Amino acid sequence: MTVVPLQPPRRLVEFTLDEQPVRVPEGSTILDACRGAGKDIPTLCEGDTLTPKNACRVCVVEVEGARTLAPACSRRAEAGMTVRTDTERARHSRKIVLELLASSTDLSTTPRAAEWIKEYEAKPARFGADAARVNEEPKVDNELYVRDYDKCILCYKCVDACGEQWQNTFAIAVAGRGFDTRISTEHDAPLTDSACVYCGNCIEVCPTGALSFKTEFDMREAGTWDEAAQTETTTVCAYCGVGCNLTLHVQENEIVKVTSPHDNPVTHGNLCIKGRFGYQHVQNRM
Ligand code: SF4
Ligand code: SF4
Ligand code: FES
């Protein structure tokens, strides 16, 4: 049974999107309207379970009368506004963002990054081999998840998920300034010496694969990770009475990672260490 939360009806806001009239519930973002109209706007720092951070600016659109481009993921739709999503200026801005990100970080595991780089004709290689990169080894300091900050675009989603928006553990935060800015535990301690409770909610929101299950990291290293060969089965966690939904990702009859549906009214995509990582007993065939 799907639970539909009851909410008061919302007024509709009408505005013009790419020369077409659209109506969206009051409080919707331009991105909500674009998705409703079937428009494909690239996003990285936007997350459907988090408050927009406006960190990446890859989703920018042109709002008539505005001096600057607007991030579609956070700009609310207003009655009477005129929005264009595919202007030369918006496309150029997305291209520059993709070039800067792809020249400084490893986007090889970012879903759709290669597709967007091609679509916007971004040329990250034009900054040459000297482009500033993180160039650090993945941090493998525990058996549950890996932090590979070569792939981090500093979108802060993990910090928000670990902090006040979901977990309230505050195990990770933004450290440093300028080029030295990075996501770090307190005093850069190993995860095992930090406040981390291994809920994995930071992995769930990371858009680039900088944070990943150790199983996924190991399988990618071995060349055996194959999402096309994986099945997903949603079930109910049996560890306690909360009844979180678990989606088991299975490859070759082995659970390789566990997520939770973002629209589940209990979890909103979040889990605890038991639901997220405590699945080994299921496949213990001794
Ligand atoms: S696993 Fe949970 S507690 Fe640990 S850093 Fe990630 S969000 Fe924070
Ligand atoms: S680790 Fe992932 S979620 Fe955290 S800031 Fe980097 S890219 Fe964003
Ligand atoms: S997705 Fe909108 S600013 Fe990053």
Side-chain angles (χ1 to χ4, degrees), residues 5-256:
L6 289 177
Q7 289 173 340
R10 287 195 285 167
R11 284 190 300 173
L12 292 178
V13 169
E14 188 166 334
F15 70 102
T16 305
L17 182 64
D18 290 336
E19 318 304 333
Q20 297 293 323
V22 290
R23 297 169 92 195
V24 289
E26 194 174 38
S28 302
T29 62
I30 294 174
L31 183 65
D32 294 331
C34 289
R35 286 178 173 163
K39 294 183 188 297
D40 187 26
I41 307 289
T43 56
L44 284 168
C45 70
E46 182 264 349
D48 58 354
T49 62
L50 295 166
T51 304
K53 200 74 174 177
N54 300 321
C56 77
R57 318 298 281 196
V58 79
C59 66
V60 287
V61 294
E62 210 156 344
V63 177
E64 198 169 278
R67 184 176 57 85
T68 56
L69 295 168
C73 66
S74 62
R75 180 70 187 268
R76 302 258 182 231
E78 291 166 34
M81 74 195 318
T82 297
V83 177
R84 293 186 183 84
T85 64
D86 208 31
T87 62
E88 196 182 332
R89 192 173 167 216
R91 290 186 69 87
H92 183 71
S93 183
R94 289 177 201 155
K95 170 183 168 171
I96 298 288
V97 167
L98 289 165
E99 284 183 342
L100 291 173
L101 288 177
S103 64
S104 56
T105 53
D106 171 3
L107 298 185
S108 62
T109 52
T110 303
R112 302 196 61 196
E115 184 191 324
W116 292 331
I117 285 170
K118 193 168 168 208
E119 179 185 340
Y120 290 96
E121 296 174 355
K123 297 189 172 45
R126 73 188 174 94
F127 298 109
D130 295 336
R133 295 187 77 91
V134 176
N135 278 335
E136 90 176 28
E137 289 298 309
K139 292 181 189 297
V140 189
D141 54 14
N142 67 90
E143 282 304 309
L144 302 183
Y145 86 95
V146 174
R147 297 173 291 154
D148 185 358
Y149 290 127
D150 266 9
K151 294 178 173 174
C152 176
I153 59 167
L154 288 172
C155 70
Y156 311 141
K157 281 163 108 174
C158 56
V159 176
D160 287 344
C162 185
E164 63 189 18
Q165 289 194 30
W166 289 118
Q167 190 60 28
N168 281 289
T169 292
F170 302 94
I172 47 176
V174 182
R177 291 279 188 277
F179 280 115
D180 292 330
T181 308
R182 65 203 178 279
I183 306 298
S184 177
T185 54
E186 199 171 356
H187 302 300
D188 204 18
L191 217 53
T192 43
D193 294 338
S194 76
C196 178
V197 296
Y198 300 96
C199 59
N201 294 332
C202 51
I203 310 173
E204 181 58 31
V205 297
C206 181
T208 63
L211 308 177
S212 66
F213 280 73
K214 176 93 169 19
T215 39
E216 176 174 346
F217 179 82
D218 289 343
M219 288 172 76
R220 283 189 187 277
E221 292 274 289
T224 56
W225 181 257
D226 183 4
E227 262 165 40
Q230 292 171 15
T231 57
E232 294 180 14
T233 304
T234 298
T235 180
V236 178
C237 180
Y239 276 114
C240 78
V242 174
C244 296
N245 271 191
L246 305 179
T247 301
L248 311 177
H249 301 247
V250 176
Q251 183 177 328
E252 290 177 13
N253 215 22
E254 297 280 342
I255 298 170
V256 291

